[in-house]
């Protein structure tokens, strides 16, 4: 093993935990912390391999780690400020013409299926789905048992589902 590699290996063993804690306090993300610790050692090895005379390798490594962590935070803040500026909301949020047409067709189909339902089934379904009435409340309003009200509501859902599927709408 070369002198540079053995120095880096010894430093890695002795300094990894300390650098990880330092970087973690800055970036507050474990995965990013580990990446930046490794990047710090790679940069140090590059400097050592280039023959740069570094007298205090631990201090130099600490400075590399701090700089990488601060740069990461800066990039993260810039990204957040772009989001906060609303730059990503420039796209038109309105649905496309195709979506509007498909929704209108689905609504017309739904209204046709509802109109074709037996009156009690439609009433029970509408009370449940639109009026948010409980099955007990539906039963009282229609003068039927709660179980019968449940069957009517389920029939309404099935009829609507089947009608929409028959029209090719899912």
């Amino acid at each position: 093993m070369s002198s540079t590699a053995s120095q880096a290996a010894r430093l890695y063993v002795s300094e990894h935990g300390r650098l990880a804690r330092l970087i973690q306090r800055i970036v507050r993300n474990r995965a990013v912390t580990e990446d930046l610790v490794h990047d710090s050692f790679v940069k140090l090895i590059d400097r050592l391999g280039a023959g740069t005379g570094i007298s205090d390798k631990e201090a130099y490594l600490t400075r590399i780690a701090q700089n990488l962590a601060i740069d990461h935070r800066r990039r993260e803040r810039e990204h957040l400020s772009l989001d906060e500026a609303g730059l990503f909301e420039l796209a038109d949020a309105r649905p496309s013409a195709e979506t509007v047409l498909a929704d209108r067709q689905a609504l017309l189909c739904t209204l046709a299926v509802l109109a074709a339902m037996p009156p009690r089934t439609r009433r029970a379904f509408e009370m449940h789905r639109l009026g948010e009435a409980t099955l007990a409340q539906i039963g009282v309003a229609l003068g039927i048992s709660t179980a019968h009200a449940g069957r009517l509501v389920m029939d309404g859902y099935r009829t609507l589902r089947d009608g929409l599927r028959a029209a090719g709408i899912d």
Side-chain angles (χ1 to χ4, degrees):
M1 185 181 284
S2 72
S3 169
T4 302
S6 65
Q7 286 177 358
R10 280 193 301 276
L11 274 174
Y12 187 85
V13 170
S14 67
E15 299 295 315
H16 179 273
R18 184 181 64 79
L19 288 179
R21 287 187 299 277
L22 171 77
I23 294 171
Q24 176 66 27
R25 282 193 303 267
I26 297 170
V27 299
R28 301 193 187 289
N29 181 320
R30 286 199 186 276
V32 171
T33 296
E34 284 303 315
D35 288 345
L36 293 178
V37 167
H38 290 120
D39 290 350
S40 300
F41 280 100
V42 167
K43 282 186 174 280
L44 177 67
I45 291 168
D46 286 347
R47 299 293 191 297
L48 292 174
T52 307
I54 301 171
S55 59
D56 189 352
K57 292 171 186 62
E58 290 85 1
Y60 193 77
L61 185 61
T62 300
R63 176 52 57 195
I64 291 171
Q66 284 176 327
N67 288 345
L68 287 173
I70 290 168
D71 288 347
H72 176 80
R73 284 291 299 223
R74 230 180 251 135
R75 283 190 306 274
E76 191 177 71
R77 258 189 250 124
E78 288 171 6
H79 178 71
L80 291 175
S81 67
L82 290 176
D83 286 343
E84 291 169 359
L87 294 178
F88 295 106
E89 295 176 9
L90 293 176
D92 190 1
R94 291 179 294 184
S96 67
E98 294 84 10
T99 302
V100 170
L101 180 62
D103 289 347
R104 285 184 182 160
Q105 288 174 338
L107 178 61
L108 289 173
C109 183
T110 300
L111 293 173
V113 170
L114 284 171
M117 278 184 195
R120 283 176 99 181
T121 303
R122 183 179 65 243
R123 177 82 174 118
F125 176 79
E126 288 173 346
M127 287 177 69
H128 185 264
R129 184 70 185 163
L130 303 175
E132 297 181 2
T134 65
L135 296 178
Q137 292 169 333
I138 295 168
V140 170
L142 298 179
I144 57 176
S145 70
T146 303
H148 190 205
R151 284 191 295 275
L152 289 176
V153 169
M154 288 307 297
D155 286 346
Y157 277 105
R158 273 191 220 101
T159 302
L160 184 58
R161 180 199 62 206
D162 294 344
L164 289 173
R165 281 185 181 165
I169 301 168
D170 287 325

